[in-house]
Amino acid sequence: AALTAPEVAEAFFATDQHVALAVYEWSGREQQDILLDWTLIDGPHALLAAAETVAATRRGHADYPTAMGHALGFGVRLLEAAPPCARHTLDMAGDGQNNEGFGPQDAYNAYPFDEVTVNGLVVNAGDFEGELGLIPFYRAEVLHGRGAFLEIANGFADYERAMRRKLVREVTPVVIGRLDGEN
């Protein structure tokens, strides 16, 4: 539903440049599954098909640890198989800190992240643990690259709203300009 929201569709089609999209689920060090392989979102039908594919999936790894470094390594390798793009962005969404394998900073040192922006979406599960530890962890350890930002969902029920807001921000074209008379 987040992909088909009117504001998301408007952002996807704000210019004639298309967005290539892939989605994967991650959890422990061996639990990364591609839910949507690289898809060129070149029109409303492609966006709807991608949204339907993602909506039809069910979480497959609820009882595994949180291996953020492994998830980031998987994501950067997935980006290497992407169609040519002007920008490369990975999203790290979750409700816990790294507790298996190497962490995000080690991934940034071990994999080619020079031209990759990593944005975050924290699910603050309502016990305020997120506000005390998870949100600062994402800000200090997960966000990476030019223009990286964090979106916060206030519980799982707020995830769709937060994802819509994050998608709009990620795919809305950057506007650079000057006022008349400026040099």
Side-chain angles (χ1 to χ4, degrees):
L3 276 177
T4 57
E7 66 272 23
V8 174
E10 183 178 318
F12 265 87
F13 306 120
T15 71
D16 59 355
Q17 294 181 356
H18 305 303
V19 174
L21 180 67
V23 179
Y24 67 99
E25 176 188 21
W26 62 274
S27 188
R29 73 174 67 193
E30 301 298 326
Q31 289 82 39
Q32 296 96 27
D33 298 313
I34 295 176
L35 306 179
L36 176 72
D37 208 347
W38 287 110
T39 302
L40 187 63
I41 308 300
D42 57 0
H45 294 295
L47 184 60
L48 181 59
E52 289 173 345
T53 298
V54 174
T57 64
R58 297 293 172 249
R59 187 173 179 185
H61 304 296
D63 296 329
Y64 289 92
T66 302
M68 294 174 130
H70 293 275
L72 288 165
F74 183 88
V76 83
R77 287 189 305 269
L78 188 59
L79 282 171
E80 290 172 348
C85 296
R87 296 184 319 192
H88 292 101
T89 304
L90 275 177
D91 295 317
M92 177 65 58
D95 64 345
Q97 293 186 33
N98 189 73
N99 61 16
E100 182 182 57
F102 55 92
Q105 293 301 316
D106 291 330
Y108 298 141
N109 291 329
Y111 293 96
F113 275 93
D114 292 342
E115 300 297 320
V116 177
T117 298
V118 179
N119 296 323
L121 193 161
V122 166
V123 180
N124 187 8
D127 58 4
F128 301 106
E129 179 182 334
E131 291 178 22
L132 297 175
L134 189 57
I135 293 169
F137 175 80
Y138 263 70
R139 285 189 173 128
E141 300 293 324
V142 176
L143 299 184
H144 176 81
R146 177 182 283 173
F149 66 90
L150 180 65
E151 186 65 40
I152 299 169
N154 294 311
F156 289 100
D158 189 41
Y159 185 84
E160 183 177 333
R161 180 214 51 89
M163 179 58 76
R164 272 195 321 266
R165 183 176 154 110
K166 188 179 67 51
L167 284 169
V168 167
R169 188 168 174 186
E170 286 172 337
V171 301
T172 296
V174 177
V175 177
I176 301 173
R178 65 182 177 92
L179 298 173
D180 287 341
E182 288 185 354
N183 291 326

PDB file of all heavy atoms in Angstrom, residues 11-38:
ATOM      1  N   ALA A  11       5.883  11.185  -6.561  1.00  0.00           N
ATOM      2  CA  ALA A  11       7.336  11.327  -6.426  1.00  0.00           C
ATOM      3  C   ALA A  11       8.068  10.436  -7.431  1.00  0.00           C
ATOM      4  O   ALA A  11       9.053  10.866  -8.044  1.00  0.00           O
ATOM      5  CB  ALA A  11       7.766  10.974  -4.994  1.00  0.00           C
ATOM      6  N   PHE A  12       7.591   9.206  -7.628  1.00  0.00           N
ATOM      7  CA  PHE A  12       8.226   8.300  -8.584  1.00  0.00           C
ATOM      8  C   PHE A  12       8.213   8.865 -10.001  1.00  0.00           C
ATOM      9  O   PHE A  12       9.137   8.654 -10.768  1.00  0.00           O
ATOM     10  CB  PHE A  12       7.528   6.926  -8.580  1.00  0.00           C
ATOM     11  CG  PHE A  12       8.169   5.907  -7.686  1.00  0.00           C
ATOM     12  CD1 PHE A  12       7.819   5.833  -6.354  1.00  0.00           C
ATOM     13  CD2 PHE A  12       9.107   5.021  -8.172  1.00  0.00           C
ATOM     14  CE1 PHE A  12       8.391   4.887  -5.522  1.00  0.00           C
ATOM     15  CE2 PHE A  12       9.691   4.075  -7.357  1.00  0.00           C
ATOM     16  CZ  PHE A  12       9.338   4.004  -6.022  1.00  0.00           C
ATOM     17  N   PHE A  13       7.162   9.588 -10.358  1.00  0.00           N
ATOM     18  CA  PHE A  13       6.999  10.044 -11.743  1.00  0.00           C
ATOM     19  C   PHE A  13       7.153  11.550 -11.889  1.00  0.00           C
ATOM     20  O   PHE A  13       6.674  12.143 -12.849  1.00  0.00           O
ATOM     21  CB  PHE A  13       5.651   9.555 -12.291  1.00  0.00           C
ATOM     22  CG  PHE A  13       5.489   8.068 -12.157  1.00  0.00           C
ATOM     23  CD1 PHE A  13       4.453   7.529 -11.425  1.00  0.00           C
ATOM     24  CD2 PHE A  13       6.415   7.209 -12.733  1.00  0.00           C
ATOM     25  CE1 PHE A  13       4.318   6.154 -11.278  1.00  0.00           C
ATOM     26  CE2 PHE A  13       6.295   5.827 -12.584  1.00  0.00           C
ATOM     27  CZ  PHE A  13       5.241   5.303 -11.862  1.00  0.00           C
ATOM     28  N   ALA A  14       7.865  12.182 -10.964  1.00  0.00           N
ATOM     29  CA  ALA A  14       8.057  13.635 -10.999  1.00  0.00           C
ATOM     30  C   ALA A  14       8.963  14.074 -12.148  1.00  0.00           C
ATOM     31  O   ALA A  14       8.932  15.226 -12.554  1.00  0.00           O
ATOM     32  CB  ALA A  14       8.615  14.131  -9.665  1.00  0.00           C
ATOM     33  N   THR A  15       9.784  13.169 -12.654  1.00  0.00           N
ATOM     34  CA  THR A  15      10.642  13.473 -13.805  1.00  0.00           C
ATOM     35  C   THR A  15      10.534  12.318 -14.793  1.00  0.00           C
ATOM     36  O   THR A  15       9.901  11.301 -14.510  1.00  0.00           O
ATOM     37  CB  THR A  15      12.131  13.630 -13.406  1.00  0.00           C
ATOM     38  OG1 THR A  15      12.663  12.353 -13.059  1.00  0.00           O
ATOM     39  CG2 THR A  15      12.303  14.611 -12.258  1.00  0.00           C
ATOM     40  N   ASP A  16      11.198  12.470 -15.925  1.00  0.00           N
ATOM     41  CA  ASP A  16      11.191  11.387 -16.909  1.00  0.00           C
ATOM     42  C   ASP A  16      12.277  10.342 -16.628  1.00  0.00           C
ATOM     43  O   ASP A  16      12.418   9.382 -17.371  1.00  0.00           O
ATOM     44  CB  ASP A  16      11.311  11.933 -18.326  1.00  0.00           C
ATOM     45  CG  ASP A  16      12.586  12.734 -18.546  1.00  0.00           C
ATOM     46  OD1 ASP A  16      13.348  12.949 -17.580  1.00  0.00           O
ATOM     47  OD2 ASP A  16      12.826  13.154 -19.685  1.00  0.00           O
ATOM     48  N   GLN A  17      13.032  10.517 -15.551  1.00  0.00           N
ATOM     49  CA  GLN A  17      14.015   9.516 -15.150  1.00  0.00           C
ATOM     50  C   GLN A  17      13.314   8.444 -14.320  1.00  0.00           C
ATOM     51  O   GLN A  17      12.546   8.753 -13.416  1.00  0.00           O
ATOM     52  CB  GLN A  17      15.138  10.152 -14.335  1.00  0.00           C
ATOM     53  CG  GLN A  17      15.967  11.114 -15.129  1.00  0.00           C
ATOM     54  CD  GLN A  17      17.096  11.707 -14.303  1.00  0.00           C
ATOM     55  OE1 GLN A  17      17.210  11.449 -13.111  1.00  0.00           O
ATOM     56  NE2 GLN A  17      17.917  12.507 -14.940  1.00  0.00           N
ATOM     57  N   HIS A  18      13.574   7.185 -14.632  1.00  0.00           N
ATOM     58  CA  HIS A  18      12.900   6.087 -13.957  1.00  0.00           C
ATOM     59  C   HIS A  18      13.684   5.629 -12.735  1.00  0.00           C
ATOM     60  O   HIS A  18      14.885   5.859 -12.620  1.00  0.00           O
ATOM     61  CB  HIS A  18      12.717   4.912 -14.919  1.00  0.00           C
ATOM     62  CG  HIS A  18      12.002   5.283 -16.176  1.00  0.00           C
ATOM     63  ND1 HIS A  18      10.746   5.846 -16.190  1.00  0.00           N
ATOM     64  CD2 HIS A  18      12.377   5.192 -17.467  1.00  0.00           C
ATOM     65  CE1 HIS A  18      10.371   6.076 -17.427  1.00  0.00           C
ATOM     66  NE2 HIS A  18      11.350   5.693 -18.239  1.00  0.00           N
ATOM     67  N   VAL A  19      12.992   4.970 -11.849  1.00  0.00           N
ATOM     68  CA  VAL A  19      13.591   4.407 -10.646  1.00  0.00           C
ATOM     69  C   VAL A  19      13.657   2.896 -10.819  1.00  0.00           C
ATOM     70  O   VAL A  19      12.684   2.267 -11.246  1.00  0.00           O
ATOM     71  CB  VAL A  19      12.732   4.750  -9.401  1.00  0.00           C
ATOM     72  CG1 VAL A  19      13.267   4.044  -8.158  1.00  0.00           C
ATOM     73  CG2 VAL A  19      12.676   6.254  -9.190  1.00  0.00           C
ATOM     74  N   ALA A  20      14.798   2.311 -10.492  1.00  0.00           N
ATOM     75  CA  ALA A  20      14.934   0.856 -10.448  1.00  0.00           C
ATOM     76  C   ALA A  20      14.809   0.460  -8.977  1.00  0.00           C
ATOM     77  O   ALA A  20      15.426   1.075  -8.104  1.00  0.00           O
ATOM     78  CB  ALA A  20      16.271   0.414 -11.016  1.00  0.00           C
ATOM     79  N   LEU A  21      14.020  -0.565  -8.715  1.00  0.00           N
ATOM     80  CA  LEU A  21      13.695  -0.928  -7.344  1.00  0.00           C
ATOM     81  C   LEU A  21      13.894  -2.429  -7.136  1.00  0.00           C
ATOM     82  O   LEU A  21      13.499  -3.236  -7.974  1.00  0.00           O
ATOM     83  CB  LEU A  21      12.227  -0.566  -7.073  1.00  0.00           C
ATOM     84  CG  LEU A  21      11.643  -0.851  -5.706  1.00  0.00           C
ATOM     85  CD1 LEU A  21      12.296   0.023  -4.644  1.00  0.00           C
ATOM     86  CD2 LEU A  21      10.139  -0.598  -5.736  1.00  0.00           C
ATOM     87  N   ALA A  22      14.527  -2.778  -6.028  1.00  0.00           N
ATOM     88  CA  ALA A  22      14.616  -4.164  -5.568  1.00  0.00           C
ATOM     89  C   ALA A  22      14.323  -4.141  -4.071  1.00  0.00           C
ATOM     90  O   ALA A  22      14.644  -3.169  -3.382  1.00  0.00           O
ATOM     91  CB  ALA A  22      15.996  -4.754  -5.838  1.00  0.00           C
ATOM     92  N   VAL A  23      13.715  -5.204  -3.577  1.00  0.00           N
ATOM     93  CA  VAL A  23      13.363  -5.280  -2.158  1.00  0.00           C
ATOM     94  C   VAL A  23      13.838  -6.630  -1.625  1.00  0.00           C
ATOM     95  O   VAL A  23      13.600  -7.667  -2.256  1.00  0.00           O
ATOM     96  CB  VAL A  23      11.832  -5.154  -1.953  1.00  0.00           C
ATOM     97  CG1 VAL A  23      11.476  -5.269  -0.477  1.00  0.00           C
ATOM     98  CG2 VAL A  23      11.315  -3.844  -2.533  1.00  0.00           C
ATOM     99  N   TYR A  24      14.501  -6.593  -0.475  1.00  0.00           N
ATOM    100  CA  TYR A  24      14.887  -7.846   0.178  1.00  0.00           C
ATOM    101  C   TYR A  24      14.582  -7.776   1.664  1.00  0.00           C
ATOM    102  O   TYR A  24      14.583  -6.718   2.270  1.00  0.00           O
ATOM    103  CB  TYR A  24      16.356  -8.198  -0.077  1.00  0.00           C
ATOM    104  CG  TYR A  24      17.372  -7.269   0.548  1.00  0.00           C
ATOM    105  CD1 TYR A  24      18.001  -7.598   1.747  1.00  0.00           C
ATOM    106  CD2 TYR A  24      17.748  -6.088  -0.080  1.00  0.00           C
ATOM    107  CE1 TYR A  24      18.952  -6.761   2.307  1.00  0.00           C
ATOM    108  CE2 TYR A  24      18.693  -5.246   0.473  1.00  0.00           C
ATOM    109  CZ  TYR A  24      19.296  -5.588   1.676  1.00  0.00           C
ATOM    110  OH  TYR A  24      20.235  -4.761   2.232  1.00  0.00           O
ATOM    111  N   GLU A  25      14.282  -8.948   2.216  1.00  0.00           N
ATOM    112  CA  GLU A  25      14.057  -9.095   3.647  1.00  0.00           C
ATOM    113  C   GLU A  25      15.350  -9.611   4.253  1.00  0.00           C
ATOM    114  O   GLU A  25      16.032 -10.445   3.657  1.00  0.00           O
ATOM    115  CB  GLU A  25      12.926 -10.090   3.889  1.00  0.00           C
ATOM    116  CG  GLU A  25      12.695 -10.384   5.359  1.00  0.00           C
ATOM    117  CD  GLU A  25      11.710 -11.521   5.593  1.00  0.00           C
ATOM    118  OE1 GLU A  25      11.495 -12.341   4.683  1.00  0.00           O
ATOM    119  OE2 GLU A  25      11.179 -11.589   6.699  1.00  0.00           O
ATOM    120  N   TRP A  26      15.673  -9.136   5.439  1.00  0.00           N
ATOM    121  CA  TRP A  26      16.889  -9.587   6.099  1.00  0.00           C
ATOM    122  C   TRP A  26      16.602  -9.825   7.579  1.00  0.00           C
ATOM    123  O   TRP A  26      15.661  -9.296   8.141  1.00  0.00           O
ATOM    124  CB  TRP A  26      18.015  -8.573   5.926  1.00  0.00           C
ATOM    125  CG  TRP A  26      17.696  -7.237   6.546  1.00  0.00           C
ATOM    126  CD1 TRP A  26      17.004  -6.212   5.967  1.00  0.00           C
ATOM    127  CD2 TRP A  26      18.026  -6.806   7.864  1.00  0.00           C
ATOM    128  NE1 TRP A  26      16.889  -5.175   6.847  1.00  0.00           N
ATOM    129  CE2 TRP A  26      17.510  -5.513   8.025  1.00  0.00           C
ATOM    130  CE3 TRP A  26      18.707  -7.388   8.924  1.00  0.00           C
ATOM    131  CZ2 TRP A  26      17.653  -4.780   9.196  1.00  0.00           C
ATOM    132  CZ3 TRP A  26      18.851  -6.668  10.094  1.00  0.00           C
ATOM    133  CH2 TRP A  26      18.330  -5.374  10.222  1.00  0.00           C
ATOM    134  N   SER A  27      17.449 -10.622   8.182  1.00  0.00           N
ATOM    135  CA  SER A  27      17.367 -10.868   9.618  1.00  0.00           C
ATOM    136  C   SER A  27      18.750 -11.306  10.091  1.00  0.00           C
ATOM    137  O   SER A  27      19.635 -10.481  10.179  1.00  0.00           O
ATOM    138  CB  SER A  27      16.301 -11.919   9.924  1.00  0.00           C
ATOM    139  OG  SER A  27      16.105 -12.015  11.314  1.00  0.00           O
ATOM    140  N   GLY A  28      18.946 -12.613  10.331  1.00  0.00           N
ATOM    141  CA  GLY A  28      20.238 -13.112  10.768  1.00  0.00           C
ATOM    142  C   GLY A  28      21.242 -13.159   9.627  1.00  0.00           C
ATOM    143  O   GLY A  28      20.941 -12.812   8.482  1.00  0.00           O
ATOM    144  N   ARG A  29      22.449 -13.616   9.938  1.00  0.00           N
ATOM    145  CA  ARG A  29      23.527 -13.571   8.947  1.00  0.00           C
ATOM    146  C   ARG A  29      23.243 -14.397   7.701  1.00  0.00           C
ATOM    147  O   ARG A  29      23.777 -14.107   6.646  1.00  0.00           O
ATOM    148  CB  ARG A  29      24.862 -13.945   9.575  1.00  0.00           C
ATOM    149  CG  ARG A  29      25.036 -15.398   9.908  1.00  0.00           C
ATOM    150  CD  ARG A  29      26.425 -15.728  10.393  1.00  0.00           C
ATOM    151  NE  ARG A  29      26.661 -15.093  11.680  1.00  0.00           N
ATOM    152  CZ  ARG A  29      27.849 -14.983  12.236  1.00  0.00           C
ATOM    153  NH1 ARG A  29      28.901 -15.470  11.641  1.00  0.00           N
ATOM    154  NH2 ARG A  29      27.992 -14.409  13.405  1.00  0.00           N
ATOM    155  N   GLU A  30      22.408 -15.412   7.782  1.00  0.00           N
ATOM    156  CA  GLU A  30      22.089 -16.250   6.620  1.00  0.00           C
ATOM    157  C   GLU A  30      20.652 -16.050   6.130  1.00  0.00           C
ATOM    158  O   GLU A  30      20.180 -16.811   5.305  1.00  0.00           O
ATOM    159  CB  GLU A  30      22.311 -17.727   6.968  1.00  0.00           C
ATOM    160  CG  GLU A  30      23.730 -18.060   7.390  1.00  0.00           C
ATOM    161  CD  GLU A  30      24.757 -17.801   6.291  1.00  0.00           C
ATOM    162  OE1 GLU A  30      24.427 -17.996   5.108  1.00  0.00           O
ATOM    163  OE2 GLU A  30      25.883 -17.402   6.629  1.00  0.00           O
ATOM    164  N   GLN A  31      19.958 -15.059   6.640  1.00  0.00           N
ATOM    165  CA  GLN A  31      18.558 -14.859   6.277  1.00  0.00           C
ATOM    166  C   GLN A  31      18.367 -13.562   5.489  1.00  0.00           C
ATOM    167  O   GLN A  31      17.946 -12.544   6.031  1.00  0.00           O
ATOM    168  CB  GLN A  31      17.657 -14.834   7.523  1.00  0.00           C
ATOM    169  CG  GLN A  31      17.487 -16.161   8.202  1.00  0.00           C
ATOM    170  CD  GLN A  31      18.649 -16.491   9.125  1.00  0.00           C
ATOM    171  OE1 GLN A  31      19.179 -15.640   9.803  1.00  0.00           O
ATOM    172  NE2 GLN A  31      19.048 -17.745   9.129  1.00  0.00           N
ATOM    173  N   GLN A  32      18.691 -13.598   4.211  1.00  0.00           N
ATOM    174  CA  GLN A  32      18.402 -12.505   3.283  1.00  0.00           C
ATOM    175  C   GLN A  32      17.695 -13.117   2.087  1.00  0.00           C
ATOM    176  O   GLN A  32      18.223 -14.029   1.463  1.00  0.00           O
ATOM    177  CB  GLN A  32      19.674 -11.776   2.822  1.00  0.00           C
ATOM    178  CG  GLN A  32      20.429 -11.069   3.918  1.00  0.00           C
ATOM    179  CD  GLN A  32      21.558 -11.914   4.471  1.00  0.00           C
ATOM    180  OE1 GLN A  32      22.109 -12.766   3.802  1.00  0.00           O
ATOM    181  NE2 GLN A  32      21.890 -11.683   5.722  1.00  0.00           N
ATOM    182  N   ASP A  33      16.508 -12.616   1.810  1.00  0.00           N
ATOM    183  CA  ASP A  33      15.713 -13.139   0.709  1.00  0.00           C
ATOM    184  C   ASP A  33      15.235 -12.000  -0.172  1.00  0.00           C
ATOM    185  O   ASP A  33      14.676 -11.015   0.332  1.00  0.00           O
ATOM    186  CB  ASP A  33      14.472 -13.893   1.230  1.00  0.00           C
ATOM    187  CG  ASP A  33      14.834 -15.101   2.071  1.00  0.00           C
ATOM    188  OD1 ASP A  33      15.706 -15.873   1.637  1.00  0.00           O
ATOM    189  OD2 ASP A  33      14.250 -15.258   3.154  1.00  0.00           O
ATOM    190  N   ILE A  34      15.435 -12.143  -1.472  1.00  0.00           N
ATOM    191  CA  ILE A  34      14.938 -11.132  -2.412  1.00  0.00           C
ATOM    192  C   ILE A  34      13.431 -11.320  -2.563  1.00  0.00           C
ATOM    193  O   ILE A  34      12.964 -12.401  -2.918  1.00  0.00           O
ATOM    194  CB  ILE A  34      15.650 -11.249  -3.772  1.00  0.00           C
ATOM    195  CG1 ILE A  34      17.137 -10.913  -3.612  1.00  0.00           C
ATOM    196  CG2 ILE A  34      14.989 -10.331  -4.808  1.00  0.00           C
ATOM    197  CD1 ILE A  34      17.958 -11.086  -4.870  1.00  0.00           C
ATOM    198  N   LEU A  35      12.686 -10.264  -2.266  1.00  0.00           N
ATOM    199  CA  LEU A  35      11.233 -10.274  -2.409  1.00  0.00           C
ATOM    200  C   LEU A  35      10.805  -9.726  -3.761  1.00  0.00           C
ATOM    201  O   LEU A  35       9.798 -10.148  -4.321  1.00  0.00           O
ATOM    202  CB  LEU A  35      10.581  -9.446  -1.296  1.00  0.00           C
ATOM    203  CG  LEU A  35      10.959  -9.818   0.144  1.00  0.00           C
ATOM    204  CD1 LEU A  35      10.256  -8.898   1.122  1.00  0.00           C
ATOM    205  CD2 LEU A  35      10.641 -11.274   0.430  1.00  0.00           C
ATOM    206  N   LEU A  36      11.568  -8.760  -4.267  1.00  0.00           N
ATOM    207  CA  LEU A  36      11.327  -8.150  -5.571  1.00  0.00           C
ATOM    208  C   LEU A  36      12.684  -7.915  -6.207  1.00  0.00           C
ATOM    209  O   LEU A  36      13.472  -7.116  -5.701  1.00  0.00           O
ATOM    210  CB  LEU A  36      10.575  -6.812  -5.420  1.00  0.00           C
ATOM    211  CG  LEU A  36      10.342  -6.019  -6.698  1.00  0.00           C
ATOM    212  CD1 LEU A  36       9.282  -6.702  -7.570  1.00  0.00           C
ATOM    213  CD2 LEU A  36       9.904  -4.589  -6.371  1.00  0.00           C
ATOM    214  N   ASP A  37      12.970  -8.638  -7.288  1.00  0.00           N
ATOM    215  CA  ASP A  37      14.250  -8.430  -7.966  1.00  0.00           C
ATOM    216  C   ASP A  37      14.173  -7.120  -8.756  1.00  0.00           C
ATOM    217  O   ASP A  37      13.104  -6.529  -8.902  1.00  0.00           O
ATOM    218  CB  ASP A  37      14.579  -9.609  -8.883  1.00  0.00           C
ATOM    219  CG  ASP A  37      16.083  -9.797  -9.061  1.00  0.00           C
ATOM    220  OD1 ASP A  37      16.857  -8.889  -8.688  1.00  0.00           O
ATOM    221  OD2 ASP A  37      16.483 -10.856  -9.572  1.00  0.00           O
ATOM    222  N   TRP A  38      15.296  -6.677  -9.280  1.00  0.00           N
ATOM    223  CA  TRP A  38      15.358  -5.372  -9.929  1.00  0.00           C
ATOM    224  C   TRP A  38      14.227  -5.190 -10.926  1.00  0.00           C
ATOM    225  O   TRP A  38      14.048  -5.992 -11.835  1.00  0.00           O
ATOM    226  CB  TRP A  38      16.713  -5.165 -10.612  1.00  0.00           C
ATOM    227  CG  TRP A  38      17.772  -4.926  -9.598  1.00  0.00           C
ATOM    228  CD1 TRP A  38      18.790  -5.768  -9.256  1.00  0.00           C
ATOM    229  CD2 TRP A  38      17.894  -3.784  -8.756  1.00  0.00           C
ATOM    230  NE1 TRP A  38      19.531  -5.225  -8.259  1.00  0.00           N
ATOM    231  CE2 TRP A  38      19.015  -4.005  -7.930  1.00  0.00           C
ATOM    232  CE3 TRP A  38      17.178  -2.607  -8.614  1.00  0.00           C
ATOM    233  CZ2 TRP A  38      19.417  -3.067  -6.973  1.00  0.00           C
ATOM    234  CZ3 TRP A  38      17.572  -1.684  -7.670  1.00  0.00           C
ATOM    235  CH2 TRP A  38      18.698  -1.924  -6.858  1.00  0.00           C
TER     236      TRP A  38
END
